[in-house]
Amino acid sequence: MNNPAIGLTFDNSYRRLPSRFYAELPPRPVTAPRLVALNEPLAAALGVDVSDRDRLAEVFAGNRLPDGAEPVSVAYAGHQFGNFVPQLGDGRACLLGEVLDRAGERFDVVLKGSGPTPFSRNGDGRAALGPVLREYIVSEAMHRLNMPTTRALAAVTTGEPVYREEMLPGAVLVRIAASHIRVGTFEYFAARGDTEAVRTLADHVIARHYPALASDKEPYLALLRAVVERQAALVAQWLAVGFIHGVMNTDNTTLSGETIDYGPCAFMDEYHPATVFSSIDLNGRYAYANQPRIAQWNLARLAETLLPLIAEKSEDAIAPATQEIQAFDAQFNAQWTRRLYGKLGLFTPKPDDAVLVEQLLDAMQTAKADFTSTFRRLSELTTREATVGELFGDE
């Protein structure tokens, strides 16, 4: 497996962490890679040489490693639908390494669907073309909506089938992210009583995502505060566009504040706060209106892992950590109010605005109005003669 140059400049800081953070493993080659989608604007920003599409297909399928790549599968745990799983990890993903874009910003390059790993839990480590294309499209849609999100650089078919309920064409997604460090990454080490690893990971996150906190007198409490702020803003942005994340597990809650994992997910059509978009979410844990509460719950799990770092005695850390978690409510409400009121053109707050917004949402729910179209029609009321009834599909 030779090493082609494709223009990426690797600097793999996660690979320099202790070996228990990951498993060294190259992607497994495929039979007949073919590039079916390439995000050329993102490729240009990263400095990718796109002149040889066949070479890119070989690299993005995992058949050839680019210069500087040091592939690993990352270890993490997670609460899935509220139940703790002590070891999850990259079951079908390979972190090729980290690249610096033309602006000097650092990004992970991950191959999703690159074959089995030590974390596969008897899975085949592969991905089907349909889900790969869905993640490509939805993640780029989120990016265009100015949403903090992982992005898709490319999609490659493998020439090999994958077997789910039926035989499907296989594919690999090339995912770009500020990082893939999750609340579940912290939980992985905390569950093992490995406080040294939790500290190492926290220091790495501060250096990578929150460098200004390194000089804070309480850096780990400040880290928790910063992550709470980013997650509160992120979930408010989700709700403002009607987005429903189907699997808001702690292993899908990033320290960078990006949206990750576009498996079960959707933009809501008919407005209803209890809307769910996951066939396995039978109790509505991750319903649209529950997303703020779940984000806060996930952040509380992060806080638990950081207690030994916040104070020498964990009991002394509980009160300040709890205060940061409780601050989520006010931060989310401020972000959500600003975004929703902005959609309604309420730029000068008035005492009865909240009542007006509540009445609108109630009317949308009763009329089964489309979430996005309602706000679109509302904007048209200012530019042409129309009736309020049109907001709810009435002629």
Side-chain angles (χ1 to χ4, degrees):
M1 188 181 288
N2 57 349
N3 295 353
I6 61 169
L8 293 174
T9 302
F10 281 90
D11 178 40
N12 306 317
S13 64
Y14 201 86
R15 178 64 177 75
R16 295 192 287 270
L17 295 176
S19 60
R20 62 189 184 279
F21 281 65
Y22 51 78
E24 296 181 42
L25 189 74
R28 182 171 292 186
V30 301
T31 302
R34 183 172 69 89
L35 189 65
V36 294
L38 177 65
N39 189 336
E40 296 199 19
L42 179 55
L46 295 172
V48 178
D49 179 358
V50 301
S51 60
D52 188 336
R53 300 294 177 104
D54 291 336
R55 179 174 61 185
L56 288 181
E58 291 279 341
V59 171
F60 292 156
N63 284 18
R64 301 170 70 185
L65 291 179
D67 289 342
E70 297 180 280
V72 298
S73 294
V74 177
Y76 55 85
H79 277 85
Q80 298 193 314
F81 290 89
N83 300 306
F84 184 61
V85 182
Q87 180 171 296
L88 294 167
D90 286 336
R92 57 173 177 167
C94 171
L95 172 62
L96 285 183
E98 302 157 26
V99 298
L100 303 177
D101 70 1
R102 294 186 185 278
E105 292 189 57
R106 182 181 300 271
F107 295 95
D108 284 359
V109 180
V110 160
L111 305 184
K112 184 177 179 181
S114 57
T117 77
F119 307 109
S120 293
R121 304 182 300 284
N122 299 318
D124 62 10
R126 293 302 187 185
L129 178 60
V132 162
L133 293 179
R134 179 181 62 223
E135 177 160 351
Y136 189 106
I137 293 168
V138 179
S139 64
E140 283 305 294
M142 294 285 273
H143 171 70
R144 294 301 180 118
L145 289 167
N146 296 316
M147 202 77 58
T149 179
T150 62
R151 298 187 64 188
L153 175 59
V156 180
T157 52
T158 63
E160 300 173 356
V162 295
Y163 298 90
R164 301 298 182 254
E165 290 81 7
E166 57 183 330
M167 186 174 72
L168 300 167
V172 176
L173 177 80
V174 185
R175 176 196 279 165
I176 306 298
S179 81
H180 283 76
I181 302 167
R182 316 151 190 262
V183 171
T185 318
F186 282 82
E187 289 183 295
Y188 178 84
F189 296 108
R192 288 158 175 75
D194 192 345
T195 302
E196 179 185 357
V198 173
R199 188 183 303 275
T200 298
L201 183 61
D203 289 343
H204 177 79
V205 170
I206 289 172
R208 183 162 180 174
H209 295 300
Y210 306 95
L213 302 184
S215 58
D216 194 286
K217 63 179 181 180
E218 297 180 304
Y220 305 115
L221 188 63
L223 172 61
L224 178 60
R225 182 181 307 123
V227 177
V228 167
E229 289 175 358
R230 287 197 185 180
Q231 285 292 326
L234 176 64
V235 177
Q237 288 178 275
W238 287 356
L239 268 63
V241 298
F243 179 74
I244 303 167
H245 195 303
V247 280
M248 278 184 69
N249 301 322
T250 58
D251 53 291
N252 291 327
T253 303
T254 62
L255 273 289
S256 65
E258 288 184 312
T259 312
I260 191 171
D261 194 333
Y262 291 98
C265 67
F267 294 94
M268 183 164 51
D269 292 325
E270 292 181 359
Y271 174 73
H272 196 293
T275 302
V276 172
F277 201 85
S278 173
S279 61
I280 58 176
D281 192 1
L282 301 178
N283 297 316
R285 178 180 175 86
Y286 300 145
Y288 173 79
N290 282 348
Q291 291 182 126
R293 179 180 64 82
I294 291 299
Q296 187 180 40
W297 191 91
N298 290 347
L299 291 165
R301 306 290 77 75
L302 173 64
E304 290 167 353
T305 72
L306 295 176
L307 292 179
L309 310 186
I310 293 172
E312 186 173 343
K313 295 180 180 180
S314 290
E315 56 267 30
D316 294 335
I318 291 174
T322 300
Q323 184 175 356
E324 299 302 336
I325 297 301
Q326 290 175 339
F328 177 94
D329 290 329
Q331 294 192 29
F332 166 78
N333 288 333
Q335 290 281 349
W336 164 241
T337 298
R338 180 174 67 84
R339 294 180 184 282
L340 186 61
Y341 283 23
K343 290 169 76 75
L344 294 171
L346 302 175
F347 300 112
T348 304
K350 296 180 180 178
D352 56 352
D353 283 351
V355 175
L356 177 64
V357 168
E358 192 64 33
Q359 289 175 339
L360 173 63
L361 294 176
D362 287 345
M364 289 168 61
Q365 181 177 337
T366 300
K368 299 182 178 180
D370 182 89
F371 183 88
T372 300
S373 295
T374 296
F375 290 102
R376 180 61 182 165
R377 291 193 182 104
L378 182 62
S379 70
E380 293 172 352
L381 291 177
T382 64
T383 59
R384 65 179 178 82
E385 188 174 329
T387 66
V388 175
E390 287 188 43
L391 296 178
F392 310 111
D394 298 337
E395 297 297 332

